[in-house]
Amino acid sequence: MKHMTHLQRLEAESIFIIREAAASAENPVMLYSIGKDSAVMLHLALKAFLPGKPPFPLLHVDTTWKFREMIEFRDRRAKELGLDLIVHTNQEGLRAGVNPFASGSRVHTDVMKTEALKQALDKYRFDMAFGGARRDEEKSRAKERVFSLRTPEHRWDAKNQRPEPWRLFNTRKRKGESFRVFPLSNWTEQDVWDYIAIENIPVVPLYFAAPRPIVKRDGALIMRDDDRMELRPGESIETMMVRFRTLGCYPLTGAVESSAASIEDIIAEMRSSRVSERQGRVIDQDSGASMEEKKQEGYF
Amino acid sequence: MTNSLQARRLPDEADEAQGSTPAAIEDETFAGPAPDEGADIGIVDPQAAMQPLVSPAASLLRFITCGSVDDGKSTLIGRLLFETNSVFDDQMEALKRDSKKFGTTGEDLDFALLVDGLSAEREQGITIDVAYRYFSTASRAFIIADTPGHEQYTRNMATGASQAELAIILVDARKGILPQTRRHSFITSLVGIKSVIVAVNKMDLVDYSQERFEEIRRGYEALLPALGFSDVTFVPVSAKAGDNIVTRSPKTPWYEGETLLQRLESVEPETFDAGAEPFRMPVQWVNRPNLDFRGFSGSIVGGRIAKGDAIVALPSGGRSSVKGVFGPNGEVTRAEAGEAVTITLADEIDISRGDVLTAANAPAGVSRQFSGDLLWMANRPLVTGGRLILKIGSTQIPASLSALDGAIDIHSYEAKPADALSMNEIGRVRLTAERPVVALPYAENRELGAFILIDPVSNETVALGVVREVGEGDTGGSETSADKRTGFARLTGLWLGEAARGDAAHRRAKIRARIAGSVLVGFLALLFQMPLGLVPVLALADFLLRPFLAVAFGADQLPEGRSVDPSVVDDGGGI
């Protein structure tokens, strides 16, 4: 293996994981969140099954608050690649009027993401779902297995995880249990961008700096993507040169001021950055262990 | 400390001019231009396709930190992350907050809190589960598995070790070598790690005493013959104070070696060279996108493969030749160990997931039985006879423990007779699978020589282990040829006894000795006036049968705890 570069080793490892999951699942699905990690994961899945297509559909849990550019990108990619795309929205939540402004980030995330995901997995009876999470993102993710077992209620038992020596993944499960599979476990943000650059992987343009309509709210730079976002007294819309390090629901995703308009710029900027990518995410900062709690409840 | 804490600003005014490109950037253009050298982003040649545009770290080192509770593993990793600028400002803010809330270091930052991510760990101030951390320097990317020190969580330590190329074994300078240091060193050796850094930590608490450091070094060196490490470095450090982690500490002027990070960057860990092996690939997935294509997907775990190569599929024994090899970027002419590929064959032979494609001239061992060493990880004890699921390569198959030959004593590193293994014990076992499986000794192939055992009822992973010997000492040939040879080969093996495991010269010497013995018997018979016709019969009978007497009385067995070949860590002897 000495002839392989760092990225080639990561690529081979991820393809191994994707094939292992597809081979041992009855009904697998790939969670497609439209972000850069999903883009890399999808790219690896395409490679894993060449010259065929991945033997599973894509699933996007749509909160209805994603950036419009994300939705356009999602639909275009699925069409270009000829892949099945399932879009699921929590209709009950929608009817109840849950939204990030009135309900707060916590409730919105619980209902429109976590609950919605569980609904979709139950509805289609998926028993193995790929996710693009990386261990370097967050401390409780660092303890996550590659094949992470969930109870029939989709709960994660952090203290009772199966050991994964070598790459002998234990994919056995009981009826109703399911797996979350993380092919990018060992990738870092840096690896993801390096790989996107080398492999020419298309990503949503929101990652690149451009003048965008920004509202400064609670210390975050929020892009006003549509008129559902009402301005509070004293707020105004400024056109600022910004980009996004992570993508999610636009009212919950902070932009960073940047002039990085190409992949090379982004990589250079990241190398000198002093803040983590999740800093822009409003939902992570509730408490130190908040991600662990969310994961226990079934969040990806 | 202060310089790494300094906030660095995002690109400012100077960059702004070029940054004011239009918002609408199409997919095609934002992929970024090719580098000036004009490196072709080819589809076919994987090397060219992966030519880095932006020079990511060239090599990757996976290592673990291990040692006893409170030896400071998490603190050491936190320190490494911090000193290599891998801690972001917002994480630093969180660390300051958490240090006040949970910290065990008084006013100072508690670096362990950067790593211990589960709330139970933060509350108890211990590491429970293995955590993976990532950092890189200009020359290397690192993946660290931070493993727990408590005996209770030994399985998590073993898991981390199985994927590592190097181990940092921490020793508390005040406490010296503890039982857990010995246990972790043994597991490190069991999973085949050859490169080790012994970091003597908390030097600040022993006044940076050279005598204390040397004493610990001598103590650890005494363990080495049993462990089979080929590359051991000792570094005096203080993870808390930062001595000899990144820069040489003025407090240890007597230490002239590399700092911990320097060692991590320079070490070329002696790992198993899978590329030198004959070709082996467990089939993970049969790829049949349409009627015209039937490929076998998997990762190559030994050797290389090229178009036209002859292969045999095991355990079925079907033969064919390679029609095409597909890498991650499309069809290639050849591929080697480590790569994930899809292979098409010239003939239609029946191959499914779990089969292993191997070079036709060097098939792997196929047998229902093998011996190995395993770490038992379940709460209930392991006893012989129980039904389990064996996973090796891409095969899963029912199997049972046919014999428990002993349990390793963690103090003497010797195998002692045992009736059962309890949690976290390491045992020497023999396993019998329901059907023949493809296996190789771990020393020959890490992927086909490692296994896990799964409880068929609870689905828990209850053991991890390594293969020592396949079949009855027969690691070559397929099941069919092994079957034919069984009767005669087994007898010959018994007759030769210990010499069967030696080389040809050893066997010739045994035969010569037996001939001499029989001539002596014949001579004695003559002396006692036995009829002439019977003398050769007696001599021949003595020649053939006497070795079996040794077998019958067990005199052919080596004394427990001694190895035939001291360089091979393959039984109680070496370790």
Side-chain angles (χ1 to χ4, degrees):
Chain A
M1 266 177 268
K2 280 179 181 141
H3 63 291
M4 295 172 81
T5 64
H6 167 48
L7 284 177
Q8 283 173 323
R9 281 177 71 175
L10 287 176
E11 178 188 64
E13 176 182 270
S14 301
I15 291 175
F16 178 89
I17 293 164
I18 292 168
R19 286 172 174 168
E20 200 68 5
S24 40
E26 282 158 44
N27 192 13
V29 66
M30 180 165 277
L31 267 281
Y32 181 65
S33 70
I34 322 173
K36 62 185 191 306
D37 303 309
S38 281
V40 167
M41 179 167 65
L42 177 57
H43 188 77
L44 290 162
L46 294 170
K47 287 187 172 208
F49 301 103
L50 272 178
K53 281 182 187 166
F56 39 75
L58 304 180
L59 169 64
H60 179 229
V61 174
D62 192 349
T63 60
T64 72
W65 290 91
K66 302 294 173 189
F67 291 90
R68 283 173 299 165
E69 277 179 90
M70 290 171 72
I71 302 300
E72 284 161 26
F73 181 87
R74 174 195 75 190
D75 294 341
R76 188 171 71 237
R77 280 301 278 163
K79 209 172 141 202
E80 278 167 5
L81 298 169
L83 297 175
D84 288 340
L85 170 71
I86 299 169
V87 177
H88 181 84
T89 300
N90 182 350
Q91 297 298 332
E92 288 164 38
L94 212 57
R95 276 195 295 275
V98 173
N99 74 67
F101 298 116
S103 326
S105 71
R106 175 113 205 179
V107 171
H108 171 74
T109 305
D110 283 351
V111 175
M112 300 307 286
K113 286 175 87 173
T114 310
E115 266 313 306
L117 173 65
K118 290 193 231 174
Q119 284 173 354
L121 295 177
D122 291 342
K123 179 178 171 190
Y124 297 97
R125 297 178 186 278
F126 292 123
D127 64 339
M128 220 174 260
F130 295 98
R134 309 184 320 267
R135 286 175 179 154
D136 83 320
E137 277 178 76
E138 202 273 336
K139 271 183 292 217
S140 69
R141 291 239 198 253
K143 304 263 168 176
E144 179 76 274
R145 296 293 184 264
V146 175
F147 281 73
S148 183
L149 185 67
R150 302 301 159 97
T151 65
E153 297 75 41
H154 300 281
R155 288 188 69 86
W156 179 55
D157 185 356
K159 279 179 222 163
N160 201 17
Q161 301 192 81
R162 293 174 181 175
E164 289 182 336
W166 295 282
R167 46 183 184 180
L168 291 166
F169 301 111
N170 174 355
T171 55
R172 291 172 65 91
K173 59 179 163 39
R174 288 186 242 196
K175 202 170 164 52
E177 290 178 336
S178 62
F179 280 98
R180 308 287 182 271
V181 184
F182 302 106
L184 306 185
S185 284
N186 287 321
W187 294 58
T188 64
E189 185 187 17
Q190 176 91 52
D191 298 329
V192 164
W193 280 115
D194 286 345
Y195 191 71
I196 287 171
I198 288 166
E199 294 277 314
N200 287 343
I201 302 171
V203 290
V204 184
L206 291 161
Y207 286 114
F208 301 92
R212 296 190 167 98
I214 295 298
V215 175
K216 290 181 179 162
R217 180 174 289 182
D218 303 329
L221 305 179
I222 302 297
M223 172 171 155
R224 188 169 183 265
D225 199 39
D226 57 42
D227 52 19
R228 287 181 293 176
M229 178 176 178
E230 285 169 23
L231 294 186
R232 293 176 190 163
E235 281 181 347
S236 62
I237 300 170
E238 288 172 59
T239 299
M240 290 174 72
M241 195 69 183
V242 295
R243 67 177 206 90
F244 295 87
R245 278 179 83 178
T246 61
L247 293 177
C249 296
Y250 82 80
L252 301 177
T253 309
V256 289
E257 282 193 86
S258 168
S259 59
S262 72
I263 302 260
E264 286 75 12
D265 294 347
I266 288 176
I267 290 171
E269 184 187 285
M270 190 173 35
R271 291 220 162 122
S272 60
S273 171
R274 293 303 313 152
V275 291
S276 77
E277 62 184 316
R278 299 200 75 87
Q279 197 228 17
R281 293 211 180 175
V282 183
I283 62 165
D284 287 347
Q285 292 164 5
D286 305 343
S287 74
S290 72
M291 178 66 87
E292 185 183 342
E293 286 162 23
K294 272 196 271 296
K295 282 167 66 67
Q296 282 173 2
E297 286 155 16
Y299 183 74
F300 223 80
Chain B
M1 267 206 194
T2 41
N3 73 333
S4 36
L5 272 171
Q6 242 167 36
R8 280 185 219 155
R9 300 199 44 233
L10 295 175
D12 49 15
E13 295 78 18
D15 311 24
E16 216 88 285
Q18 69 164 97
S20 59
T21 37
I25 305 164
E26 295 303 318
D27 291 352
E28 289 74 28
T29 54
F30 67 64
D36 294 340
E37 303 82 72
D40 182 16
I41 310 290
I43 299 300
V44 176
D45 182 1
Q47 306 288 344
M50 297 292 279
Q51 273 305 315
L53 274 174
V54 280
S55 68
S59 66
L60 170 66
L61 181 75
R62 289 177 186 241
F63 68 93
I64 53 163
T65 52
C66 56
S68 197
V69 172
D70 287 336
D71 282 350
K73 294 175 291 295
S74 299
T75 309
L76 179 78
I77 291 181
R79 170 63 71 176
L80 274 173
L81 295 174
F82 177 74
E83 299 262 355
T84 53
N85 270 344
S86 314
V87 184
F88 293 119
D89 287 351
D90 51 320
Q91 294 169 330
M92 210 57 219
E93 285 304 313
L95 176 63
K96 285 181 199 161
R97 272 201 314 272
D98 291 349
S99 294
K100 284 197 191 115
K101 194 167 161 191
F102 304 108
T104 54
T105 49
E107 288 297 296
D108 296 329
L109 294 175
D110 185 352
F111 289 110
L113 292 172
L114 278 176
V115 190
D116 290 336
L118 299 176
S119 44
E121 296 178 320
R122 301 157 78 80
E123 283 155 19
Q124 298 172 42
I126 58 165
T127 306
I128 292 173
D129 205 344
V130 55
Y132 297 90
R133 288 281 149 185
Y134 307 81
F135 73 98
S136 52
T137 61
S139 60
R140 219 169 220 183
F142 298 93
I143 300 181
I144 322 171
D146 177 28
T147 67
H150 282 79
E151 185 184 344
Q152 191 186 347
Y153 307 117
T154 299
R155 64 184 201 170
N156 293 331
M157 180 269 157
T159 298
S162 71
Q163 292 150 356
E165 300 156 291
L166 173 140
I168 298 180
I169 295 174
L170 269 98
V171 178
D172 185 328
R174 295 168 304 172
K175 297 180 196 158
I177 294 157
L178 298 170
Q180 196 65 342
T181 321
R182 303 174 67 96
R183 184 191 303 271
H184 282 181
S185 298
F186 183 80
I187 293 170
T188 300
S189 132
L190 181 80
V191 298
I193 295 174
K194 299 285 179 199
S195 293
V196 165
I197 301 174
V198 180
V200 181
N201 191 24
K202 309 198 184 180
M203 287 301 291
D204 51 326
L205 300 181
V206 295
D207 296 327
Y208 300 94
S209 155
Q210 183 179 7
E211 290 85 88
R212 184 64 187 141
F213 175 73
E214 293 298 338
E215 193 182 333
I216 290 169
R217 177 211 286 263
R218 281 193 300 275
Y220 197 85
E221 278 172 345
L223 304 180
L224 287 179
L227 293 170
F229 300 143
S230 59
D231 161 29
V232 184
T233 321
F234 295 84
V235 187
V237 301
S238 166
K240 203 175 131 229
D243 298 298
N244 292 328
I245 303 289
V246 172
T247 49
R248 189 80 71 74
S249 170
K251 290 164 188 154
T252 54
W254 43 268
Y255 175 70
E256 291 176 346
E258 291 171 300
T259 64
L260 191 72
L261 186 65
Q262 284 167 346
R263 185 65 198 145
L264 289 172
E265 284 188 306
S266 70
V267 67
E268 287 300 332
E270 189 195 307
T271 49
F272 176 75
D273 182 12
E277 279 282 292
F279 170 70
R280 279 104 174 59
M281 188 190 89
V283 175
Q284 270 188 295
W285 172 263
V286 181
N287 191 356
R288 264 173 307 187
N290 56 57
L291 290 174
D292 303 323
F293 190 93
R294 185 157 176 267
F296 305 100
S297 303
S299 291
I300 303 176
V301 302
R304 57 196 68 214
I305 193 77
K307 218 170 160 165
D309 285 358
I311 60 102
V312 55
L314 298 176
S316 70
R319 286 168 186 273
S320 186
S321 62
V322 174
K323 193 167 106 188
V325 182
F326 297 79
N329 300 305
E331 191 160 4
V332 290
T333 49
R334 59 182 198 92
E336 49 191 287
E339 295 181 43
V341 296
T342 298
I343 289 171
T344 53
L345 299 176
D347 311 277
E348 288 259 332
I349 54 174
D350 183 26
I351 297 173
S352 49
R353 173 175 164 83
D355 292 348
V356 180
L357 303 185
T358 68
N361 57 1
V366 178
S367 177
R368 286 181 56 213
Q369 288 195 19
F370 63 85
S371 65
D373 291 345
L374 64 74
L375 171 72
W376 184 247
M377 307 191 287
N379 279 316
R380 62 182 171 82
L382 171 70
V383 291
T384 51
R387 260 176 79 84
L388 296 158
I389 306 287
L390 166 72
K391 181 164 188 187
I392 183 163
S394 52
T395 306
Q396 274 188 50
I397 191 169
S400 65
L401 183 76
S402 38
L404 176 56
D405 293 337
I408 304 290
D409 175 59
I410 216 65
H411 299 285
S412 65
Y413 288 160
E414 277 173 10
K416 301 215 162 138
D419 301 325
L421 286 184
S422 51
M423 188 155 90
N424 295 321
E425 277 198 299
I426 298 160
R428 180 134 315 143
V429 300
R430 272 175 279 162
L431 291 164
T432 304
E434 209 165 67
R435 293 185 304 278
V437 292
V438 183
L440 286 166
Y442 189 69
E444 273 177 44
N445 192 302
R446 277 181 92 129
E447 303 266 351
L448 287 169
F451 63 88
I452 56 172
L453 296 176
I454 301 166
D455 182 308
V457 179
S458 70
N459 289 333
E460 280 177 283
T461 305
V462 289
L464 63 86
V466 296
V467 175
R468 291 306 176 200
E469 250 179 280
V470 181
E472 274 90 6
D474 177 11
T475 55
S478 65
E479 172 74 359
T480 39
S481 66
D483 266 350
K484 270 183 230 146
R485 283 168 43 194
T486 308
F488 183 70
R490 204 180 280 175
L491 274 178
T492 323
L494 284 177
W495 192 90
L496 285 166
E498 196 193 317
R501 279 175 273 173
D503 56 10
H506 196 167
R507 287 194 287 273
R508 277 197 301 274
K510 167 108 185 182
I511 292 168
R512 277 199 297 272
R514 287 302 311 128
I515 291 173
S518 304
V519 169
L520 184 68
V521 167
F523 182 70
L524 284 170
L526 273 179
L527 207 65
F528 288 98
Q529 300 178 347
M530 192 180 241
L532 261 183
L534 281 181
V535 167
V537 176
L538 185 72
L540 186 67
D542 176 75
F543 175 79
L544 289 176
L545 297 177
R546 191 195 289 257
F548 295 116
L549 282 178
V551 176
F553 289 97
D556 63 326
Q557 300 291 321
L558 285 177
E560 198 136 16
R562 276 185 46 207
S563 171
V564 177
D565 177 358
S567 70
V568 182
V569 188
D570 70 352
D571 73 21
I575 36 195

